Amino acid sequence: MTEMPTILVVDDEDDIRESLCAHLERSGFSAAGAASAADARGWLNTNDAALVMLDIMMPGEDGLSLCRHLREVDKTPVILLTALTDDTDKIVGLEIGADDYITKPFNPRELVARIRAVLRRSVGKEDEPSGSGPASFSGWILDEEQSEITNTEGLVVTLSAGELSILKVFLEHAGEVLSRDDLMQFSRGRETLAFERTIDNVISRLRKKIEADVSNPRIIKTVRGGGYRLVSASE
């Protein structure tokens, strides 16, 4: 018999956490609950989760901090839960490595659909072969394992999870014009609309790290009405 994937629900509100766990179990998952980031860390020390559903606003250590920790120690998929209407925390969460987010109150059926979509993508990523070696572009070399880029003068620059994700998309589609939606879809595989601010902010930070003149970028160019383009090696 196939083992049911376990979803860890981290939320300090007992009624939400218990209701979510019950709904997930009715939907064919195994579910466990944690009332705080500390409880979640303890549970994960002795158990494996297929996915973590993580509330952003919690007393003590918040969900963004725990999400950052999870990205540093393993590749367990994370879906953020937020009651906030402001995009800032959602954007930060996606940039530090969350796989998706959903805003409270939410439709339980939509949540289950999001979970299944993220789990499908995570399985696909595990099956992907590792890269053949460092990728180079415009005088920089990318070390994906270390999330670093190095230029010809030996300068080493660290990339955030969001910057690495977007840069990989540009390298895979060098020379192509990519819209914001393209960049979000290729980097996250998300099935919801892209936040324009997310893409623009990440590209702005990337330019500060790789461009000699940020006011006149020559590596990542803006295409009027089209989006962005990484200049190919042949140009």
Side-chain angles (χ1 to χ4, degrees):
M1 185 175 180
T2 303
E3 185 177 354
M4 293 184 294
T6 299
I7 311 299
L8 177 62
V9 180
V10 188
D11 196 306
D12 62 299
E13 297 187 42
D14 295 343
D15 55 342
I16 292 178
R17 185 178 67 254
E18 292 168 3
S19 174
L20 278 174
C21 285
H23 183 76
L24 289 170
E25 290 177 347
R26 289 194 299 270
S27 301
F29 297 100
S30 173
S36 66
D39 288 348
R41 287 174 182 261
W43 189 92
L44 289 166
N45 283 337
T46 55
N47 300 274
D48 293 322
L51 181 145
V52 176
M53 289 177 49
L54 183 53
D55 185 34
I56 290 180
M57 298 295 291
M58 294 187 294
E61 182 182 8
D62 65 18
L64 293 177
S65 173
L66 181 56
C67 179
R68 186 178 293 107
H69 167 74
L70 292 174
R71 288 282 68 81
E72 291 172 352
V73 299
D74 61 33
K75 298 183 183 301
T76 303
V78 174
I79 294 180
L80 295 175
L81 303 174
T82 175
L84 302 176
T85 56
D86 182 22
D87 291 345
T88 302
D89 282 333
K90 302 171 190 175
I91 291 170
V92 171
L94 292 172
E95 290 178 351
I96 65 177
D99 295 88
D100 204 346
Y101 75 90
I102 191 163
T103 304
K104 301 177 183 176
F106 46 79
N107 183 312
R109 292 180 62 185
E110 178 189 359
L111 179 61
V112 169
R114 296 280 193 95
I115 289 172
R116 288 177 174 153
V118 169
L119 289 175
R120 285 195 300 270
R121 294 198 296 269
S122 67
V123 170
K125 289 178 182 178
E126 290 174 1
D127 294 338
E128 290 176 357
S130 57
S132 57
S136 60
F137 65 101
S138 302
W140 292 92
I141 297 176
L142 169 65
D143 184 338
E144 186 177 334
E145 291 293 324
Q146 299 298 321
S147 294
E148 294 175 344
I149 51 175
T150 306
N151 69 5
T152 54
E153 298 176 354
L155 174 66
V156 179
V157 178
T158 300
L159 302 176
S160 70
E163 292 162 359
L164 175 62
S165 181
I166 293 297
L167 179 57
K168 285 168 59 181
V169 173
F170 275 127
L171 290 171
E172 291 165 1
H173 301 269
E176 298 179 26
V177 176
L178 300 172
S179 69
R180 294 178 179 89
D181 286 345
D182 290 334
L183 288 164
M184 181 64 83
Q185 289 293 333
F186 287 139
S187 62
R188 297 290 180 198
R190 295 181 64 242
E191 297 170 354
T192 53
L193 293 176
F195 282 116
E196 291 190 359
R197 284 175 53 200
T198 305
I199 298 300
D200 292 342
N201 288 345
V202 172
I203 291 175
S204 176
R205 293 202 308 270
L206 262 177
R207 281 173 167 166
K208 290 178 182 178
K209 293 182 177 182
I210 67 176
E211 299 279 4
D213 181 1
V214 177
S215 63
N216 184 30
R218 296 185 178 276
I219 301 175
I220 300 176
K221 290 183 172 291
T222 300
V223 179
R224 180 177 296 181
Y228 297 97
R229 181 172 68 91
L230 178 72
V231 175
S232 64
S234 61
E235 294 181 68

